[in-house]
Amino acid sequence: MKKFTSLLLSLWAAILLISCNPDGNEVPLGEFEKGGILIMNEGAFGANDGEVSFYEFAQESARPNIFEAANNRPFAGLLQDLVEHNGHIYLVANTGKVEVVNAGDFKSVGAVEGLDISRSAIVTNNKLYISDWGPYDANFNSPDSYIAVVENVKGDPIATKIPVESRPEGLFAVNNQLLVASSATRKLSVINLNQDTVSRTLDITGRPSFFFESGNNLFLYAHDASNVYFHEINKSNITISRTITVNLSRATSNFALGTDNSIYIITSTGWPDYNDAVAKVNLSNGSVSNPEFFKGSGFYGIGYRNSAREIYIADNNGFQGNGSVIVVNESGQEVKTFTAGRGPSGFKFRE
């Protein structure tokens, strides 16, 4: 019986180390697709030293600067988002470029340049769409925001720019439509992907930032000084079917979806005190389970590891050198910390 069980476990381990490429052929997973965590390090303003670290579970340490190691050049930008699609990872820099790398080894396969303040990206309809604030005006507003359209998903010159509401952030594709959350004007724009034009806009309560799915439900996260809003979106007709309002002050746009309808949200008093906390919220009824689930300073990003039921909190350490990552269990107790890069802000778990 033990021998048979061991054989099954070995076969299962082998299956876990296999993935499919876009052609449907099975290929082994690369070194950065298993056994660790990709950590997005934003970098410091002016230094443009954003990078990606890879925390290895077996070694219990983070390998720094994996983009530079794979490509023999620095990333050279402020890393804003990390998006994966069909074996490629899109490294979005808010300093005006997107680098496209292989997910397995982080070697560059292309790039998009000529952007302004790029924020996020999505691949849909065989194209790459990038949300961009556009250039600042004299008052540091963003009146000329857009979605950049690139026809080659591995990177190319920008084919066209779709004007959208000010300061677009998160993107979500459904039913041949692209949803765009614009924080400055508190709007949800709907782009027809057949024509690459905005078909309509919806008013949103709070400053919307990112979309997420819980079960079969699609939500748009928004917040203001006093509340957090989970706007549930009807995917069929793109309307707000309901809004769950959470009485939580000083919330940021950094959150992570946990188990059992729990969401962990970073709150902050901001400058000059930076008294930060992670609040635990129940998505199903909008109640705040614990407004100070974990307290600290310099919280800059958050993630949830489902297999271990642990919360990962990125600490920027005031951008004085490298940041760190604090690992907390579901009881709010610190499990461990480890060093990341400059300004860690996000996680992608590779089990």
Side-chain angles (χ1 to χ4, degrees), residues 3-30:
K3 187 175 181 180
F4 180 67
T5 302
S6 298
L7 177 60
L8 286 177
L9 290 174
S10 298
L11 288 171
W12 180 242
I15 292 170
L16 289 176
L17 296 178
I18 298 288
S19 65
C20 291
N21 66 15
D23 299 323
N25 299 318
E26 292 184 344
V27 294
L29 290 176

Short mmCIF file of all heavy atoms in Angstrom, two decimals, residues 3-30:
data_model
loop_
_atom_site.label_atom_id
_atom_site.label_comp_id
_atom_site.label_asym_id
_atom_site.label_seq_id
_atom_site.Cartn_x
_atom_site.Cartn_y
_atom_site.Cartn_z
N LYS A 3 3.89 1.54 -1.14
CA LYS A 3 4.55 1.65 -2.43
C LYS A 3 3.61 2.27 -3.47
O LYS A 3 3.99 3.12 -4.26
CB LYS A 3 5.03 0.27 -2.88
CG LYS A 3 5.88 0.30 -4.15
CD LYS A 3 6.41 -1.07 -4.45
CE LYS A 3 7.29 -1.04 -5.69
NZ LYS A 3 7.83 -2.37 -6.00
N PHE A 4 2.33 1.83 -3.46
CA PHE A 4 1.36 2.35 -4.41
C PHE A 4 1.09 3.82 -4.15
O PHE A 4 1.02 4.63 -5.07
CB PHE A 4 0.07 1.53 -4.29
CG PHE A 4 -1.02 1.99 -5.22
CD1 PHE A 4 -0.88 1.84 -6.58
CD2 PHE A 4 -2.18 2.56 -4.72
CE1 PHE A 4 -1.88 2.25 -7.45
CE2 PHE A 4 -3.18 2.98 -5.58
CZ PHE A 4 -3.03 2.81 -6.94
N THR A 5 0.98 4.20 -2.87
CA THR A 5 0.75 5.60 -2.51
C THR A 5 1.92 6.46 -2.95
O THR A 5 1.74 7.56 -3.50
CB THR A 5 0.54 5.74 -1.00
OG1 THR A 5 -0.56 4.93 -0.63
CG2 THR A 5 0.27 7.17 -0.61
N SER A 6 3.13 5.98 -2.75
CA SER A 6 4.32 6.74 -3.15
C SER A 6 4.34 6.93 -4.66
O SER A 6 4.72 7.99 -5.17
CB SER A 6 5.59 6.01 -2.71
OG SER A 6 5.63 5.91 -1.30
N LEU A 7 3.91 5.88 -5.41
CA LEU A 7 3.89 5.99 -6.86
C LEU A 7 2.89 7.05 -7.30
O LEU A 7 3.17 7.86 -8.18
CB LEU A 7 3.54 4.63 -7.47
CG LEU A 7 3.39 4.59 -9.00
CD1 LEU A 7 4.70 4.99 -9.65
CD2 LEU A 7 2.96 3.20 -9.44
N LEU A 8 1.73 7.04 -6.67
CA LEU A 8 0.72 8.04 -7.01
C LEU A 8 1.23 9.45 -6.74
O LEU A 8 1.03 10.37 -7.53
CB LEU A 8 -0.56 7.79 -6.21
CG LEU A 8 -1.41 6.60 -6.67
CD1 LEU A 8 -2.60 6.44 -5.73
CD2 LEU A 8 -1.89 6.78 -8.10
N LEU A 9 1.89 9.63 -5.61
CA LEU A 9 2.43 10.94 -5.26
C LEU A 9 3.49 11.37 -6.26
O LEU A 9 3.57 12.54 -6.63
CB LEU A 9 3.00 10.92 -3.84
CG LEU A 9 1.98 10.80 -2.72
CD1 LEU A 9 2.69 10.64 -1.38
CD2 LEU A 9 1.05 12.02 -2.69
N SER A 10 4.31 10.42 -6.71
CA SER A 10 5.34 10.75 -7.68
C SER A 10 4.73 11.17 -9.01
O SER A 10 5.17 12.12 -9.65
CB SER A 10 6.27 9.55 -7.89
OG SER A 10 6.94 9.22 -6.69
N LEU A 11 3.68 10.42 -9.43
CA LEU A 11 3.00 10.78 -10.66
C LEU A 11 2.36 12.15 -10.56
O LEU A 11 2.40 12.95 -11.49
CB LEU A 11 1.94 9.72 -11.01
CG LEU A 11 2.48 8.37 -11.48
CD1 LEU A 11 1.34 7.36 -11.58
CD2 LEU A 11 3.17 8.50 -12.82
N TRP A 12 1.74 12.43 -9.40
CA TRP A 12 1.10 13.73 -9.21
C TRP A 12 2.12 14.85 -9.24
O TRP A 12 1.90 15.92 -9.82
CB TRP A 12 0.34 13.74 -7.89
CG TRP A 12 -0.34 15.03 -7.60
CD1 TRP A 12 -0.13 15.87 -6.56
CD2 TRP A 12 -1.38 15.65 -8.37
NE1 TRP A 12 -0.95 16.95 -6.62
CE2 TRP A 12 -1.73 16.85 -7.71
CE3 TRP A 12 -2.04 15.30 -9.55
CZ2 TRP A 12 -2.71 17.69 -8.21
CZ3 TRP A 12 -3.03 16.14 -10.04
CH2 TRP A 12 -3.34 17.33 -9.37
N ALA A 13 3.30 14.63 -8.63
CA ALA A 13 4.35 15.64 -8.65
C ALA A 13 4.80 15.91 -10.08
O ALA A 13 5.06 17.04 -10.47
CB ALA A 13 5.54 15.18 -7.80
N ALA A 14 4.89 14.83 -10.87
CA ALA A 14 5.30 15.01 -12.26
C ALA A 14 4.28 15.82 -13.03
O ALA A 14 4.63 16.68 -13.85
CB ALA A 14 5.49 13.64 -12.93
N ILE A 15 3.00 15.57 -12.78
CA ILE A 15 1.95 16.33 -13.45
C ILE A 15 2.05 17.80 -13.10
O ILE A 15 1.87 18.68 -13.94
CB ILE A 15 0.56 15.76 -13.08
CG1 ILE A 15 0.40 14.37 -13.69
CG2 ILE A 15 -0.56 16.67 -13.56
CD1 ILE A 15 -0.81 13.62 -13.20
N LEU A 16 2.34 18.10 -11.83
CA LEU A 16 2.42 19.48 -11.40
C LEU A 16 3.56 20.23 -12.07
O LEU A 16 3.53 21.46 -12.16
CB LEU A 16 2.59 19.55 -9.87
CG LEU A 16 1.36 19.16 -9.05
CD1 LEU A 16 1.70 19.19 -7.57
CD2 LEU A 16 0.19 20.08 -9.33
N LEU A 17 4.56 19.50 -12.53
CA LEU A 17 5.71 20.15 -13.16
C LEU A 17 5.56 20.26 -14.67
O LEU A 17 6.49 20.59 -15.39
CB LEU A 17 7.00 19.37 -12.83
CG LEU A 17 7.39 19.36 -11.36
CD1 LEU A 17 8.65 18.53 -11.16
CD2 LEU A 17 7.60 20.76 -10.84
N ILE A 18 4.34 19.99 -15.18
CA ILE A 18 4.08 20.07 -16.61
C ILE A 18 3.04 21.14 -16.86
O ILE A 18 2.08 21.29 -16.13
CB ILE A 18 3.54 18.71 -17.14
CG1 ILE A 18 4.58 17.61 -16.95
CG2 ILE A 18 3.14 18.84 -18.59
CD1 ILE A 18 5.77 17.67 -17.85
N SER A 19 3.23 21.93 -17.88
CA SER A 19 2.22 22.89 -18.29
C SER A 19 2.01 22.75 -19.79
O SER A 19 2.72 22.01 -20.46
CB SER A 19 2.64 24.32 -17.95
OG SER A 19 3.77 24.68 -18.70
N CYS A 20 1.01 23.46 -20.32
CA CYS A 20 0.75 23.43 -21.76
C CYS A 20 1.11 24.77 -22.37
O CYS A 20 0.81 25.81 -21.81
CB CYS A 20 -0.72 23.13 -22.02
SG CYS A 20 -1.17 21.42 -21.59
N ASN A 21 1.76 24.73 -23.53
CA ASN A 21 2.02 25.97 -24.24
C ASN A 21 0.79 26.35 -25.03
O ASN A 21 -0.19 25.60 -25.09
CB ASN A 21 3.28 25.83 -25.11
CG ASN A 21 3.10 24.83 -26.25
OD1 ASN A 21 1.98 24.44 -26.58
ND2 ASN A 21 4.22 24.41 -26.83
N PRO A 22 0.75 27.53 -25.66
CA PRO A 22 -0.44 27.96 -26.39
C PRO A 22 -0.88 27.00 -27.48
O PRO A 22 -2.04 27.01 -27.90
CB PRO A 22 -0.03 29.32 -26.96
CG PRO A 22 1.01 29.82 -26.02
CD PRO A 22 1.77 28.59 -25.60
N ASP A 23 0.04 26.13 -28.00
CA ASP A 23 -0.33 25.18 -29.04
C ASP A 23 -0.92 23.90 -28.48
O ASP A 23 -1.29 23.00 -29.22
CB ASP A 23 0.91 24.83 -29.89
CG ASP A 23 1.47 26.06 -30.58
OD1 ASP A 23 0.67 26.90 -31.01
OD2 ASP A 23 2.70 26.17 -30.67
N GLY A 24 -0.99 23.81 -27.15
CA GLY A 24 -1.56 22.62 -26.52
C GLY A 24 -0.55 21.54 -26.21
O GLY A 24 -0.92 20.47 -25.72
N ASN A 25 0.72 21.75 -26.52
CA ASN A 25 1.76 20.76 -26.25
C ASN A 25 2.25 20.90 -24.81
O ASN A 25 2.42 22.01 -24.32
CB ASN A 25 2.94 20.94 -27.22
CG ASN A 25 2.52 20.75 -28.67
OD1 ASN A 25 1.75 19.85 -28.98
ND2 ASN A 25 3.01 21.63 -29.54
N GLU A 26 2.51 19.75 -24.19
CA GLU A 26 2.98 19.77 -22.81
C GLU A 26 4.46 20.09 -22.76
O GLU A 26 5.27 19.51 -23.48
CB GLU A 26 2.70 18.43 -22.13
CG GLU A 26 1.22 18.16 -21.92
CD GLU A 26 0.96 16.88 -21.15
OE1 GLU A 26 1.90 16.07 -21.04
OE2 GLU A 26 -0.17 16.70 -20.65
N VAL A 27 4.83 21.05 -21.88
CA VAL A 27 6.22 21.43 -21.71
C VAL A 27 6.51 21.54 -20.22
O VAL A 27 5.62 21.88 -19.43
CB VAL A 27 6.53 22.78 -22.40
CG1 VAL A 27 6.39 22.66 -23.91
CG2 VAL A 27 5.62 23.87 -21.88
N PRO A 28 7.75 21.26 -19.79
CA PRO A 28 8.06 21.39 -18.37
C PRO A 28 7.96 22.85 -17.92
O PRO A 28 8.23 23.77 -18.68
CB PRO A 28 9.52 20.91 -18.29
CG PRO A 28 9.75 20.14 -19.55
CD PRO A 28 8.87 20.76 -20.59
N LEU A 29 7.55 23.04 -16.68
CA LEU A 29 7.50 24.39 -16.13
C LEU A 29 8.91 24.93 -15.96
O LEU A 29 9.85 24.19 -15.64
CB LEU A 29 6.79 24.38 -14.77
CG LEU A 29 5.28 24.11 -14.80
CD1 LEU A 29 4.75 24.03 -13.37
CD2 LEU A 29 4.55 25.20 -15.56
N GLY A 30 9.08 26.22 -16.15
CA GLY A 30 10.37 26.87 -16.00
C GLY A 30 10.70 27.12 -14.53
O GLY A 30 9.88 26.90 -13.63
#
